[in-house]
Amino acid sequence: MYPVSTPGGWNLLGRTALKMFDPDRDNLCPVAPGDRVRFVSISRDEFLAQGGWLDD
């Protein structure tokens, strides 16, 4: 999961509006090794409402 658009070269599944790294939190990342992550499709409006942004 990338928090921003980047030419990383990986096959990406999608984007998240969730901040994936936050040095101001006790738990720096919301997921840890071994966690199960479920990807759910949401609308453009839901993505923007959750704090996401579009590069277009």
Side-chain angles (χ1 to χ4, degrees), residues 7-30:
W10 293 84
N11 293 322
L12 302 179
L13 297 174
R15 297 171 62 163
T16 181
L18 185 64
K19 192 170 188 180
M20 295 306 296
F21 178 78
D22 187 349
D24 295 325
R25 288 193 316 223
D26 289 335
N27 188 10
L28 299 177
C29 183

Side-chain angles (χ1 to χ4, degrees), residues 4-55:
V4 296
S5 288
T6 179
W10 293 84
N11 293 322
L12 302 179
L13 297 174
R15 297 171 62 163
T16 181
L18 185 64
K19 192 170 188 180
M20 295 306 296
F21 178 78
D22 187 349
D24 295 325
R25 288 193 316 223
D26 289 335
N27 188 10
L28 299 177
C29 183
V31 295
D35 284 354
R36 291 179 182 228
V37 177
R38 188 177 78 166
F39 295 91
V40 178
S41 179
I42 61 173
S43 72
R44 178 183 191 272
D45 291 338
E46 288 173 298
F47 179 74
L48 295 173
Q50 292 178 20
W53 66 95
L54 302 175
D55 294 327

